[in-house]
Amino acid sequence: MSNRPEVLPFYDPATSTISYIVIDPANHHAAIVDSVLDYDPKAGRVSTVSADALIDAIRARDLTIDWIIETHVHADHFSAARYLQRRLGRGVIGIGDHIAPVQSKFADIFDLGPDFATDGRQFDHLFKDHEPFAIGTIPAETIYTPGHTPACMSYRIGDAVFVGDTLFMPDYGTARCDFPGGDAHALYHSVQTLFALPPETRVFTAHDYQPGGRAPAWESTIGAQRAHNVQIHTGISEADFVATREKRDATLPAPVLILPSLQVNIRGGDLPDPSGNGRRYLKIPLNTL
Protein backbone atom coordinates (compact mmCIF):
# COMPACT_ATOMS: atom_id res chain seq x y z
CA MET A 1 0.00 0.00 0.00
CA SER A 2 1.59 3.26 -1.19
CA ASN A 3 1.54 6.52 0.75
CA ARG A 4 2.37 8.54 -2.36
CA PRO A 5 -0.54 9.55 -4.59
CA GLU A 6 -0.03 10.39 -8.22
CA VAL A 7 -1.02 14.02 -8.77
CA LEU A 8 -2.22 15.33 -12.14
CA PRO A 9 -2.32 19.17 -12.26
CA PHE A 10 -4.49 21.20 -14.62
CA TYR A 11 -3.59 24.87 -14.95
CA ASP A 12 -6.25 27.39 -15.98
CA PRO A 13 -4.51 30.53 -17.32
CA ALA A 14 -7.73 32.59 -17.27
CA THR A 15 -7.93 32.43 -13.44
CA SER A 16 -4.40 31.23 -12.56
CA THR A 17 -6.07 28.23 -10.87
CA ILE A 18 -4.63 24.75 -10.57
CA SER A 19 -7.08 21.86 -10.30
CA TYR A 20 -5.87 18.40 -9.37
CA ILE A 21 -6.74 14.78 -9.90
CA VAL A 22 -5.22 12.83 -6.99
CA ILE A 23 -4.83 9.14 -7.74
CA ASP A 24 -4.15 5.98 -5.77
CA PRO A 25 -1.86 4.09 -8.21
CA ALA A 26 -2.78 0.78 -6.57
CA ASN A 27 -6.42 0.75 -7.63
CA HIS A 28 -7.09 3.90 -9.71
CA HIS A 29 -9.43 5.45 -7.16
CA ALA A 30 -9.07 9.22 -7.19
CA ALA A 31 -10.24 12.64 -5.97
CA ILE A 32 -10.67 15.96 -7.73
CA VAL A 33 -9.48 19.08 -5.89
CA ASP A 34 -10.61 22.65 -6.74
CA SER A 35 -12.20 22.21 -10.15
CA VAL A 36 -12.97 25.11 -12.52
CA LEU A 37 -16.15 25.93 -14.44
CA ASP A 38 -15.22 28.45 -17.14
CA TYR A 39 -16.96 31.84 -17.10
CA ASP A 40 -16.72 34.74 -19.52
CA PRO A 41 -17.64 37.88 -17.52
CA LYS A 42 -18.03 40.01 -20.64
CA ALA A 43 -20.67 37.75 -22.14
CA GLY A 44 -22.05 36.26 -18.93
CA ARG A 45 -21.46 32.83 -20.44
CA VAL A 46 -20.55 29.59 -18.65
CA SER A 47 -18.67 26.81 -20.44
CA THR A 48 -17.06 23.51 -19.47
CA VAL A 49 -13.74 23.30 -21.33
CA SER A 50 -11.64 23.06 -18.15
CA ALA A 51 -13.98 20.57 -16.47
CA ASP A 52 -14.20 18.45 -19.62
CA ALA A 53 -10.39 18.20 -19.67
CA LEU A 54 -10.61 16.60 -16.22
CA ILE A 55 -13.31 14.22 -17.41
CA ASP A 56 -11.25 13.23 -20.45
CA ALA A 57 -8.24 12.44 -18.24
CA ILE A 58 -10.39 10.49 -15.79
CA ARG A 59 -11.92 8.38 -18.54
CA ALA A 60 -8.60 7.86 -20.34
CA ARG A 61 -7.11 6.49 -17.12
CA ASP A 62 -10.30 4.58 -16.18
CA LEU A 63 -10.31 6.29 -12.76
CA THR A 64 -12.99 5.91 -10.10
CA ILE A 65 -13.71 9.28 -8.48
CA ASP A 66 -14.40 8.98 -4.76
CA TRP A 67 -14.32 12.66 -3.81
CA ILE A 68 -14.78 16.08 -5.41
CA ILE A 69 -13.15 18.40 -2.86
CA GLU A 70 -13.20 22.16 -2.37
CA THR A 71 -10.52 23.81 -0.23
CA HIS A 72 -12.79 26.83 0.34
CA VAL A 73 -15.45 29.02 -1.28
CA HIS A 74 -13.40 30.49 -4.10
CA ALA A 75 -13.69 34.16 -5.03
CA ASP A 76 -11.88 34.00 -8.36
CA HIS A 77 -13.42 31.12 -10.30
CA PHE A 78 -16.59 29.07 -10.50
CA SER A 79 -16.51 25.54 -9.10
CA ALA A 80 -17.32 22.72 -11.52
CA ALA A 81 -18.05 20.28 -8.69
CA ARG A 82 -21.71 19.67 -9.46
CA TYR A 83 -21.15 19.50 -13.21
CA LEU A 84 -18.40 16.91 -12.72
CA GLN A 85 -20.52 14.85 -10.35
CA ARG A 86 -23.40 14.77 -12.84
CA ARG A 87 -21.19 13.88 -15.81
CA LEU A 88 -19.19 11.25 -13.95
CA GLY A 89 -22.14 9.82 -12.05
CA ARG A 90 -20.22 9.70 -8.78
CA GLY A 91 -17.95 11.61 -6.40
CA VAL A 92 -18.88 13.01 -2.99
CA ILE A 93 -18.67 16.82 -2.99
CA GLY A 94 -16.90 17.89 0.21
CA ILE A 95 -15.92 21.17 1.85
CA GLY A 96 -14.97 22.27 5.37
CA ASP A 97 -17.73 22.43 7.97
CA HIS A 98 -17.20 26.15 8.60
CA ILE A 99 -19.02 26.86 5.34
CA ALA A 100 -22.24 27.85 7.13
CA PRO A 101 -21.21 31.34 8.32
CA VAL A 102 -19.75 32.05 4.87
CA GLN A 103 -23.06 31.12 3.28
CA SER A 104 -24.95 33.21 5.79
CA LYS A 105 -22.80 36.27 5.10
CA PHE A 106 -23.14 36.10 1.34
CA ALA A 107 -26.77 35.04 1.35
CA ASP A 108 -27.41 38.40 2.99
CA ILE A 109 -25.15 40.31 0.59
CA PHE A 110 -26.85 38.74 -2.44
CA ASP A 111 -30.35 38.83 -0.89
CA LEU A 112 -30.92 35.14 -1.58
CA GLY A 113 -34.01 35.05 0.59
CA PRO A 114 -35.29 32.76 3.35
CA ASP A 115 -35.41 29.67 1.12
CA PHE A 116 -31.61 29.61 0.71
CA ALA A 117 -30.23 27.21 3.33
CA THR A 118 -27.11 28.38 5.20
CA ASP A 119 -26.20 25.09 6.87
CA GLY A 120 -23.99 23.63 4.13
CA ARG A 121 -26.58 21.19 2.81
CA GLN A 122 -25.71 22.14 -0.79
CA PHE A 123 -22.60 19.99 -0.31
CA ASP A 124 -22.65 16.23 0.16
CA HIS A 125 -20.16 16.16 3.04
CA LEU A 126 -18.88 18.75 5.52
CA PHE A 127 -15.39 17.87 6.73
CA LYS A 128 -14.46 18.45 10.37
CA ASP A 129 -10.93 19.38 11.44
CA HIS A 130 -8.60 16.34 11.54
CA GLU A 131 -11.25 14.11 10.00
CA PRO A 132 -9.78 10.95 8.46
CA PHE A 133 -10.84 9.77 5.02
CA ALA A 134 -9.13 7.95 2.15
CA ILE A 135 -8.44 8.05 -1.57
CA GLY A 136 -8.55 4.37 -2.42
CA THR A 137 -6.04 2.82 -0.04
CA ILE A 138 -4.16 6.06 0.64
CA PRO A 139 -4.98 7.57 4.04
CA ALA A 140 -6.04 11.20 4.14
CA GLU A 141 -6.86 13.79 6.80
CA THR A 142 -8.29 17.30 6.90
CA ILE A 143 -6.44 20.26 8.43
CA TYR A 144 -8.49 23.36 9.25
CA THR A 145 -6.49 26.35 7.94
CA PRO A 146 -8.55 29.55 8.28
CA GLY A 147 -7.25 33.03 7.54
CA HIS A 148 -7.79 33.59 3.84
CA THR A 149 -11.42 32.78 4.60
CA PRO A 150 -12.98 31.45 7.83
CA ALA A 151 -13.77 28.14 6.13
CA CYS A 152 -10.47 27.12 4.47
CA MET A 153 -9.56 23.45 4.74
CA SER A 154 -6.33 21.79 3.65
CA TYR A 155 -6.25 18.10 2.74
CA ARG A 156 -3.32 15.87 3.56
CA ILE A 157 -3.42 12.88 1.23
CA GLY A 158 -0.56 10.47 1.77
CA ASP A 159 2.71 12.40 1.43
CA ALA A 160 1.00 15.42 -0.16
CA VAL A 161 -1.02 18.33 1.20
CA PHE A 162 -3.42 20.43 -0.86
CA VAL A 163 -3.49 23.86 0.77
CA GLY A 164 -5.85 25.89 -1.42
CA ASP A 165 -4.95 29.56 -1.11
CA THR A 166 -3.31 29.29 2.33
CA LEU A 167 0.17 29.09 0.81
CA PHE A 168 1.35 29.93 -2.68
CA MET A 169 4.72 29.07 -4.16
CA PRO A 170 7.59 30.25 -1.94
CA ASP A 171 8.47 33.15 -4.28
CA TYR A 172 4.94 34.59 -3.99
CA GLY A 173 3.95 34.07 -0.35
CA THR A 174 0.47 33.58 1.07
CA ALA A 175 -3.15 34.36 0.35
CA ARG A 176 -4.77 37.71 1.06
CA CYS A 177 -6.82 38.05 4.24
CA ASP A 178 -9.15 40.97 3.51
CA PHE A 179 -12.24 39.02 2.44
CA PRO A 180 -15.23 38.94 4.83
CA GLY A 181 -14.16 36.75 7.75
CA GLY A 182 -10.50 36.74 6.71
CA ASP A 183 -7.86 37.20 9.42
CA ALA A 184 -4.09 37.54 9.02
CA HIS A 185 -3.48 36.35 12.60
CA ALA A 186 -5.47 33.19 11.89
CA LEU A 187 -3.56 32.64 8.64
CA TYR A 188 -0.24 32.91 10.46
CA HIS A 189 -1.26 30.16 12.88
CA SER A 190 -2.68 28.02 10.08
CA VAL A 191 0.66 28.16 8.28
CA GLN A 192 2.47 27.16 11.47
CA THR A 193 0.22 24.09 11.61
CA LEU A 194 1.23 23.21 8.06
CA PHE A 195 4.89 23.89 8.85
CA ALA A 196 4.67 21.19 11.55
CA LEU A 197 4.24 18.55 8.82
CA PRO A 198 7.33 16.58 7.76
CA PRO A 199 9.63 18.74 5.60
CA GLU A 200 9.44 16.33 2.66
CA THR A 201 5.64 16.68 2.46
CA ARG A 202 4.68 17.79 -1.03
CA VAL A 203 2.68 21.05 -1.10
CA PHE A 204 0.18 21.74 -3.88
CA THR A 205 -1.31 25.22 -4.17
CA ALA A 206 -4.58 26.33 -5.78
CA HIS A 207 -3.14 29.32 -7.66
CA ASP A 208 0.06 30.59 -9.19
CA TYR A 209 0.51 34.19 -10.33
CA GLN A 210 3.94 33.73 -11.99
CA PRO A 211 6.00 36.41 -10.24
CA GLY A 212 8.66 37.86 -12.50
CA GLY A 213 7.00 36.24 -15.49
CA ARG A 214 8.28 32.75 -14.72
CA ALA A 215 6.44 29.65 -15.95
CA PRO A 216 3.44 28.46 -13.90
CA ALA A 217 4.39 26.33 -10.88
CA TRP A 218 2.33 24.64 -8.19
CA GLU A 219 4.40 22.08 -6.28
CA SER A 220 6.86 22.74 -3.46
CA THR A 221 7.58 21.08 -0.11
CA ILE A 222 7.02 22.02 3.50
CA GLY A 223 10.79 22.28 3.88
CA ALA A 224 11.06 24.70 0.94
CA GLN A 225 8.18 26.77 2.27
CA ARG A 226 9.73 26.98 5.73
CA ALA A 227 13.07 28.05 4.29
CA HIS A 228 12.10 30.29 1.39
CA ASN A 229 8.53 31.60 1.55
CA VAL A 230 8.96 35.32 1.00
CA GLN A 231 6.24 36.31 3.46
CA ILE A 232 6.17 33.65 6.16
CA HIS A 233 9.37 31.59 6.26
CA THR A 234 10.69 30.28 9.58
CA GLY A 235 11.75 33.18 11.78
CA ILE A 236 9.03 35.63 10.69
CA SER A 237 7.07 36.75 13.75
CA GLU A 238 3.30 36.89 13.84
CA ALA A 239 3.38 40.68 14.27
CA ASP A 240 5.68 41.17 11.28
CA PHE A 241 3.66 38.85 9.07
CA VAL A 242 0.35 40.48 9.99
CA ALA A 243 1.73 43.97 9.39
CA THR A 244 3.13 43.02 5.97
CA ARG A 245 0.04 41.07 4.95
CA GLU A 246 -2.42 43.79 5.96
CA LYS A 247 -0.36 46.52 4.28
CA ARG A 248 -0.32 44.57 1.02
CA ASP A 249 -4.00 43.63 1.23
CA ALA A 250 -4.94 47.31 1.51
CA THR A 251 -3.55 47.84 -2.00
CA LEU A 252 -5.18 44.86 -3.74
CA PRO A 253 -8.22 45.26 -5.99
CA ALA A 254 -11.13 42.87 -5.60
CA PRO A 255 -10.84 39.72 -7.75
CA VAL A 256 -12.56 40.16 -11.11
CA LEU A 257 -14.97 37.28 -10.52
CA ILE A 258 -15.63 37.66 -6.79
CA LEU A 259 -19.29 38.71 -7.11
CA PRO A 260 -20.44 36.12 -9.65
CA SER A 261 -18.27 33.26 -8.38
CA LEU A 262 -19.38 33.43 -4.76
CA GLN A 263 -23.02 33.01 -5.80
CA VAL A 264 -22.16 29.74 -7.53
CA ASN A 265 -19.63 28.42 -5.06
CA ILE A 266 -21.78 28.75 -1.93
CA ARG A 267 -24.21 26.50 -3.83
CA GLY A 268 -21.63 23.73 -4.25
CA GLY A 269 -21.13 24.57 -7.93
CA ASP A 270 -24.80 24.82 -8.85
CA LEU A 271 -25.91 27.82 -10.87
CA PRO A 272 -28.82 29.89 -9.53
CA ASP A 273 -32.28 28.51 -10.32
CA PRO A 274 -33.93 29.81 -13.51
CA SER A 275 -36.27 32.78 -13.21
CA GLY A 276 -39.78 32.80 -14.62
CA ASN A 277 -38.45 33.52 -18.11
CA GLY A 278 -36.19 30.46 -18.00
CA ARG A 279 -32.96 32.45 -17.70
CA ARG A 280 -30.52 32.23 -14.79
CA TYR A 281 -29.26 35.43 -13.18
CA LEU A 282 -26.33 36.49 -11.03
CA LYS A 283 -26.79 39.55 -8.83
CA ILE A 284 -24.30 42.41 -8.57
CA PRO A 285 -24.78 44.27 -5.26
CA LEU A 286 -23.62 47.86 -5.51
CA ASN A 287 -21.35 49.60 -2.97
CA THR A 288 -21.25 46.53 -0.72
CA LEU A 289 -17.78 44.94 -0.79
Side-chain angles (χ1 to χ4, degrees):
M1 186 169 62
S2 172
N3 193 46
R4 184 178 177 87
E6 180 183 357
V7 180
L8 300 183
F10 294 78
Y11 179 70
D12 173 41
T15 63
S16 301
T17 302
I18 304 96
S19 304
Y20 299 98
I21 302 174
V22 188
I23 306 167
D24 178 357
N27 58 18
H28 290 190
H29 281 249
I32 299 167
V33 181
D34 288 340
S35 60
V36 172
L37 188 67
D38 303 298
Y39 177 68
D40 179 354
K42 294 180 180 179
R45 183 171 295 277
V46 173
S47 60
T48 61
V49 173
S50 295
D52 289 339
L54 296 177
I55 292 171
D56 289 346
I58 289 163
R59 290 178 173 167
R61 300 281 295 270
D62 194 24
L63 302 176
T64 299
I65 298 299
D66 295 334
W67 292 95
I68 302 172
I69 295 171
E70 302 288 351
T71 55
H72 62 295
V73 174
H74 307 276
D76 40 29
H77 70 270
F78 288 19
S79 167
R82 194 65 66 188
Y83 172 78
L84 289 165
Q85 186 184 59
R86 289 169 178 154
R87 286 289 310 277
L88 295 169
R90 60 177 297 121
V92 177
I93 298 175
I95 198 168
D97 64 351
H98 287 70
I99 181 65
V102 176
Q103 288 179 317
S104 181
K105 175 71 174 179
F106 289 107
D108 174 64
I109 287 175
F110 296 115
D111 191 27
L112 299 183
D115 292 336
F116 182 82
T118 57
D119 58 4
R121 71 181 66 176
Q122 296 86 349
F123 299 83
D124 301 326
H125 185 82
L126 301 181
F127 286 106
K128 300 183 184 303
D129 188 20
H130 296 299
E131 179 178 338
F133 65 109
I135 308 300
T137 64
I138 298 177
E141 181 186 25
T142 60
I143 305 171
Y144 181 45
T145 49
H148 173 56
T149 80
C152 290
M153 191 73 81
S154 295
Y155 299 92
R156 185 182 184 189
I157 303 172
D159 75 334
V161 63
F162 297 82
V163 299
D165 292 9
T166 300
L167 285 169
F168 296 132
M169 291 298 289
D171 61 351
Y172 196 82
T174 73
R176 63 197 294 171
C177 299
D178 59 333
F179 294 158
D183 187 304
H185 292 277
L187 183 63
Y188 180 87
H189 291 286
S190 292
V191 171
Q192 303 316 306
T193 299
L194 293 172
F195 280 3
L197 296 174
E200 66 273 14
T201 303
R202 294 182 289 163
V203 176
F204 293 93
T205 65
H207 294 284
D208 184 60
Y209 299 106
Q210 301 174 252
R214 63 158 169 72
W218 42 79
E219 180 179 353
S220 60
T221 65
I222 290 295
Q225 292 280 356
R226 289 183 199 165
H228 304 299
N229 188 288
V230 295
Q231 292 180 339
I232 200 167
H233 57 265
T234 299
I236 296 291
S237 71
E238 179 176 350
D240 287 344
F241 170 74
V242 169
T244 300
R245 183 71 266 170
E246 291 183 345
K247 180 179 179 181
R248 174 164 172 72
D249 289 348
T251 71
L252 297 176
V256 172
L257 298 185
I258 184 170
L259 291 172
S261 66
L262 289 171
Q263 296 173 70
V264 172
N265 296 341
I266 61 174
R267 291 178 163 96
D270 273 324
L271 300 176
D273 292 334
S275 293
N277 63 3
R279 295 189 178 93
R280 301 177 191 268
Y281 290 88
L282 296 167
K283 297 181 178 181
I284 302 298
L286 302 179
N287 303 321
T288 299
L289 293 186

